Amino acid sequence: MQDTVSADRVTHSDLANAVRVLAMDAVETAKSGHPGLPMGAADIATVLFTKFLKYDAADPTWPDRDRFILSAGHGSMLLYSLLHLTGVKGMTVEELKNFRKLDSKTPGHPENFMTPGVETTTGPLGQGIATAVGFALAERMLNAEYGSDLVDHYTYVLASDGDLMEGISHEAIALAGHLKLNRMIVLWDDNEISIDGPLSLSDSVDQVKRFQACGWNAVRVDGHDEKAIQRAISRAQKSDRPTLIACKTTIGYGAPKKAGTSKAHGEPLGAEELAGAKAAYGWSHEPFVIPEGIKAAWAKAGKKGSRQRKAWAERLKALPADKRAEFERRVKGVRPQGLADAVAKLKDRLIAEPQNVATRKASEIALEVITEAVPELVLGSADLTPSNNTKTKNLTAISPGNYAGRYIHYGIREHGMAAAMNGIALHGGYVPAGATFLVFTDYARPAMRIAALAGIPAVYVMTHDSIGLGEDGPTHQPVEHLAALRSMPKMRVFRPADAIETAECWQMALERTDGPSTLALTRQNLPQVRKQGGAENLSATGAYELSPANGKARATIFASGSEVEIALAAQKLLAEKNFEARVVSVPSLDLFLAQPEKVRHEIIGDAPIKVAVEAAVRFGWDSVIGPDGIFVGMHGFGASAPYKDLYKHFGITAEAIAEKVLRTHNL
Ligand SMILES: Cc1ncc(C[n+]2csc(CCOP(=O)(O)OP(=O)(O)O)c2C)c(N)n1
């Protein structure tokens, strides 16, 4: 029947059914995937894409496009069907046929680095909706800087029950509600089904009331009623608050036996159910075949934003050249020229006037300079601003309804902060840096992992980085966190030893455009151990010889951060006993281990005794000192006491190092 329908006479159901059948066919072909969500949410997505989304498939990265985030990443075939039908380049029917196959553009869950038109990586439930908060916030902030002619778009989210059950959703919606992010519109696929069965097995939250309590508009609609969805989105667009539209749907819509049950969630429908569903839709075409009329109507929807995009490009062109160049630089994620210079000048100043300060304070000193050189750097903290030292004097905080600022009070929401940072970075125009205590990276880790996986250049400013924080005790003292973060692929971990290394590490974190960085910074004061200045970034190899031996070294002491001072003291003690040692500072162990073998060998050297000193667990250091190397650090959790007592108690002292070295030497 639909074969003969001309593009103009194609109905909403025809369009939605095309999305459904492509998803069903792809899951069936892959013999794996989730057909239920695309079948249930196809009406919602169709209304959004054909009637609202400011989108041009010819350029899915156009900066002023509306963003669509499929928070329920398991329903990825919904998104791939839409990208294919609207005509995104490369999203061919072959890609749909290769769903979940190696190197396809259609991985199991959406990966923005694999698939054109995918805004962010989703799959771990809750991440999408929380990342969307960052997108929506970045849109308002960039709007405050550049005006509505250049920045004026919405962030739409399709979320499932699982997204809303995850704890991170609460941090996200509370923050979005507080900040009045009225450009954020969440379409909830309210199907009352999750994997174990009906939602009633485990949940009885009234989500509409929850969102309302968080400062949102929240309404209920029939998620299969095209007009009702349309009206709700229209109203949401005009709201002064973010909006939740609870769309009541049937999972696996149309499948004779599996519809409305968890059986439609995560496995292919099987031949019988597939045929039954297609019959229910009146769909009689071969797998993956879309009739011309429907194809044309979808292609038209894909060009819907074309005129808006061109008009936008004209407005951009009309800007003064320097303003335009700066906007383009920022949305492309190219770093400004002045960063390296600014850091080099700061280092000269620090050499002239050494600063014996905590590295969190050194970070603030660096930021005073860096925030001027890098106008896209947006800082923030999860309610530890005075401890993290992230708010420099030149930064003003954004507030509800006022987005002209570069500081974000994220509240006590580490996970929400890290996810919002992903969205801010992915939106474009900003580099986010967010702060808390290093121990609480555990609370932020799932979002940090997405940043690493997706290559997002976020910076985590993690202070109070060891037992050196003292009296707050073992609950607050990280011991395994450095190792855990270093083990995360594409995460870079910096632990600078003094003010100069801190400036160098900040420079590297910001120059990185292909992944996140963690700066582990101390609470306690440290002496400035670097005596020489110069533009060269000695931290760039991750490790370097800070203090050579006076002659041939018989031991090398490797140390990071606050323990470099202790290593230098040990070197002195050993020298008094006529035992020559050298000290290698290791501001980034993971960066060092990634160096070519030759560089590593040169820095590791050939002294027979190797020692590593770090107030954390040994894990990872064997790659430098070998299994027989001496490790001076933590072997368990910390304790509550003044930090100098703790260093003594746990044996992380110059005397202990010297004693162990001499004992090994005399063996
Ligand atoms: C953080 C996280 N925990 C668990 C999962 C595994 N998982 C995938 S979908 C899902 C729940 C499915 O229910 P719902 O969100 O309502 O999706 P629907 O069944 O409606 O497709 C779960 C637990 C996940 N993807 N992410």
Side-chain angles (χ1 to χ4, degrees):
M1 175 192 69
Q2 294 106 331
D3 278 326
T4 55
V5 175
S6 79
D8 298 337
R9 292 183 48 210
V10 168
T11 64
H12 163 83
S13 297
D14 293 333
L15 294 169
N17 288 338
V19 174
R20 291 186 170 105
V21 295
L22 286 177
M24 289 152 56
D25 288 341
V27 172
E28 209 63 23
T29 306
K31 299 191 181 64
S32 116
H34 301 77
L37 184 144
M39 293 163 79
D43 289 310
I44 308 167
T46 299
V47 171
L48 181 66
F49 271 68
T50 60
K51 304 269 193 268
F52 293 97
L53 201 69
K54 186 163 70 163
Y55 167 82
D56 184 358
D59 184 0
T61 61
W62 158 41
D64 199 31
R65 69 194 180 281
D66 285 343
R67 306 306 200 262
F68 172 66
I69 288 154
L70 179 64
S71 193
H74 60 276
S76 57
M77 262 317 302
L78 175 80
L79 182 51
Y80 302 148
S81 297
L82 292 162
L83 296 175
H84 166 69
L85 288 166
T86 53
V88 170
K89 197 163 169 233
M91 290 305 286
T92 59
V93 75
E94 292 311 314
E95 292 292 346
L96 304 190
K97 288 178 182 167
N98 283 332
F99 180 47
R100 292 183 161 237
K101 302 258 162 62
L102 192 64
D103 289 336
S104 72
K105 291 192 172 70
T106 48
H109 295 88
E111 299 166 11
N112 59 304
F113 50 95
M114 287 299 277
T115 312
V118 170
E119 301 286 0
T120 182
T121 297
T122 54
L125 289 164
Q127 289 298 327
I129 187 170
T131 303
V133 174
F135 274 96
L137 178 56
E139 189 272 341
R140 284 295 85 194
M141 290 172 66
L142 208 58
N143 171 279
E145 280 193 75
Y146 285 93
S148 299
D149 270 0
L150 285 193
V151 187
D152 184 14
H153 51 265
Y154 290 92
T155 301
Y156 296 98
V157 180
L158 187 82
S160 67
D161 299 310
D163 284 305
L164 301 194
M165 286 173 85
E166 288 291 350
I168 189 176
S169 76
H170 197 70
E171 298 182 23
I173 67 171
L175 186 59
H178 170 74
L179 289 173
K180 298 197 175 4
L181 297 178
N182 64 330
R183 299 307 189 90
M184 180 167 176
I185 299 173
V186 173
L187 300 146
W188 167 34
D189 180 34
D190 176 13
N191 64 21
E192 292 178 72
I193 292 291
S194 67
I195 291 179
D196 281 4
L199 216 60
S200 56
L201 287 173
S202 57
D203 197 55
S204 48
V205 170
D206 184 331
Q207 295 290 358
V208 165
K209 283 193 182 147
R210 179 168 78 116
F211 275 74
Q212 284 169 342
C214 290
W216 288 55
N217 287 319
V219 294
R220 296 181 197 277
V221 300
D222 174 348
H224 298 296
D225 180 342
E226 167 203 358
K227 296 281 178 242
I229 300 165
Q230 208 173 315
R231 278 194 301 274
I233 298 177
S234 278
R235 249 180 255 133
Q237 284 190 334
K238 295 180 199 93
S239 170
D240 60 353
R241 303 180 211 183
T243 298
L244 171 79
I245 305 174
C247 305
K248 184 63 73 190
T249 61
T250 302
I251 191 169
Y253 182 85
K257 294 202 186 98
K258 293 188 173 177
T261 76
S262 57
K263 289 202 165 60
H265 165 85
E267 57 188 40
L269 290 172
E272 215 171 292
E273 285 288 294
L274 188 86
K278 286 187 177 177
Y281 308 150
W283 193 271
S284 55
H285 313 286
E286 292 298 306
F288 295 105
V289 171
I290 305 294
E292 286 308 319
I294 297 175
K295 227 190 223 175
W298 263 118
K300 198 170 151 202
K303 295 190 184 81
K304 198 166 44 64
S306 167
R307 258 197 300 137
Q308 284 161 300
R309 177 170 68 85
K310 286 176 187 148
W312 177 87
E314 287 303 315
R315 292 198 295 277
L316 179 65
K317 231 197 242 166
L319 284 186
D322 53 344
K323 192 169 178 192
R324 175 188 170 175
E326 179 66 357
F327 180 82
E328 287 180 329
R329 179 188 74 73
R330 286 191 36 187
V331 297
K332 279 187 195 138
V334 176
R335 298 292 179 262
Q337 293 288 337
L339 174 62
D341 257 12
V343 170
K345 278 204 194 96
L346 169 65
K347 281 162 58 180
D348 287 345
R349 202 175 83 208
L350 290 169
I351 291 295
E353 298 166 36
Q355 299 292 313
N356 299 328
V357 294
T359 48
R360 62 177 168 147
K361 179 69 186 166
S363 166
E364 184 183 343
I365 293 170
L367 283 171
E368 298 281 359
V369 170
I370 288 170
T371 48
E372 296 295 339
V374 186
E376 63 267 44
L377 179 60
V378 171
L379 284 132
S381 167
D383 201 51
L384 285 168
T385 297
S387 303
N388 300 142
N389 295 50
T390 31
K391 191 165 182 297
T392 50
K393 287 189 276 300
N394 55 337
L395 298 183
T396 41
I398 57 147
S399 59
N402 181 3
Y403 308 102
R406 287 171 61 191
Y407 198 81
I408 302 166
H409 292 287
Y410 287 102
I412 307 121
R413 303 182 180 105
E414 296 82 8
H415 199 183
M417 171 175 75
M421 286 165 64
N422 287 344
I424 291 169
L426 288 169
H427 176 276
Y430 295 103
V431 179
T436 180
F437 291 158
L438 182 62
V439 77
F440 300 136
T441 51
D442 284 342
Y443 275 51
R445 194 177 169 92
M448 294 171 77
R449 186 174 188 274
I450 296 277
L453 171 65
I456 297 171
V459 184
Y460 311 104
V461 184
M462 297 294 162
T463 69
H464 297 57
D465 71 345
S466 75
I467 53 162
L469 65 85
E471 293 85 341
D472 269 347
T475 54
H476 285 49
Q477 292 162 353
V479 286
E480 76 278 30
H481 299 73
L482 289 168
L485 290 167
R486 286 169 182 154
S487 74
M488 190 185 281
K490 287 171 78 175
M491 173 63 75
R492 183 122 305 148
V493 183
F494 295 106
R495 189 166 185 255
D498 71 358
I500 293 212
E501 281 192 8
T502 303
E504 290 180 341
C505 292
W506 256 116
Q507 181 185 346
M508 285 190 285
L510 289 174
E511 282 173 350
R512 237 193 137 197
T513 54
D514 62 352
S517 305
T518 299
L519 293 164
L521 305 170
T522 66
R523 172 177 184 257
Q524 74 275 29
N525 286 344
L526 302 176
Q528 191 171 307
V529 293
R530 272 275 279 286
K531 308 292 178 208
Q532 91 211 53
E536 195 193 345
N537 189 327
L538 294 183
S539 304
T541 43
Y544 64 95
E545 187 176 81
L546 173 70
S547 179
N550 194 9
K552 190 159 172 52
R554 290 191 282 176
T556 301
I557 309 172
F558 301 88
S560 86
S562 39
E563 285 69 70
V564 172
E565 170 193 9
I566 298 170
L568 289 169
Q571 181 191 35
K572 219 164 143 202
L573 282 182
L574 287 166
E576 284 163 12
K577 301 211 154 92
N578 292 323
F579 190 94
E580 286 307 325
R582 58 196 275 271
V583 172
V584 171
S585 178
V586 190
S588 177
L589 179 58
D590 43 297
L591 179 58
F592 176 60
L593 294 176
Q595 298 302 309
E597 202 178 327
K598 189 167 168 294
V599 177
R600 270 185 290 129
H601 278 178
E602 206 166 292
I603 294 169
I604 289 176
D606 54 10
I609 298 175
K610 297 188 185 70
V611 190
V613 192
E614 184 168 67
V617 297
R618 177 174 183 139
F619 215 90
W621 279 102
D622 284 13
S623 312
V624 175
I625 60 172
D628 300 323
I630 300 168
F631 180 74
V632 176
M634 296 297 289
H635 302 278
F637 291 114
S640 173
Y643 81 90
K644 287 186 178 160
D645 295 348
L646 290 175
Y647 272 86
K648 271 196 210 109
H649 176 73
F650 291 110
I652 308 173
T653 61
E655 292 74 19
I657 297 167
E659 195 263 316
K660 282 186 174 149
V661 168
L662 293 175
R663 194 174 349 127
T664 305
H665 176 67
N666 294 328
L667 277 181

